[in-house]
Amino acid sequence: MMDMDSIYREQANAVFKYLMTLCYEEDTAQELTQETFYQAVRSVKRYDASCKISVWLCQIGKHLWFQELRKRKRRK
């Protein structure tokens, strides 16, 4: 089993920076970073190590950003 605390300490800044390149909004990137790790904890059993953990986390973050964009579009 992976130690998500240490993974968070090692990867949170990289995930945040990646999300900043997508959304350019610090608050949104921070929220999405937190949600990324929440989702990662929930789905850690599905991580099969076929890619780096950082890639997996950024994919989760990107998916969450696209969900956010769809929500924003519906609100308009």
Side-chain angles (χ1 to χ4, degrees):
M1 173 94 178
M2 290 189 283
D3 176 15
M4 288 304 287
D5 286 336
S6 63
I7 291 169
Y8 179 83
R9 286 191 300 277
E10 293 167 11
Q11 301 294 331
N13 195 44
V15 172
F16 172 77
K17 285 180 180 180
Y18 172 70
L19 290 166
M20 278 295 293
T21 69
L22 297 178
C23 69
Y24 302 103
E25 300 169 2
E26 193 169 335
D27 289 344
T28 301
Q30 195 65 258
E31 288 177 29
L32 291 173
T33 299
Q34 294 301 313
E35 183 64 20
T36 295
F37 281 89
Y38 173 72
Q39 293 297 330
V41 168
R42 291 184 64 217
S43 61
V44 71
K45 289 181 176 145
R46 288 191 301 227
Y47 175 67
D48 63 4
S50 63
C51 64
K52 291 181 183 177
I53 192 81
S54 58
V55 172
W56 181 64
L57 291 167
C58 287
Q59 286 296 106
I60 293 170
K62 182 173 73 172
H63 175 76
L64 292 168
W65 170 237
F66 289 153
Q67 280 185 327
E68 176 64 21
L69 287 176
R70 284 192 295 275
K71 286 179 196 171
R72 290 180 183 192
K73 193 173 183 177
R74 284 194 300 264
R75 283 188 221 135
K76 286 185 177 182

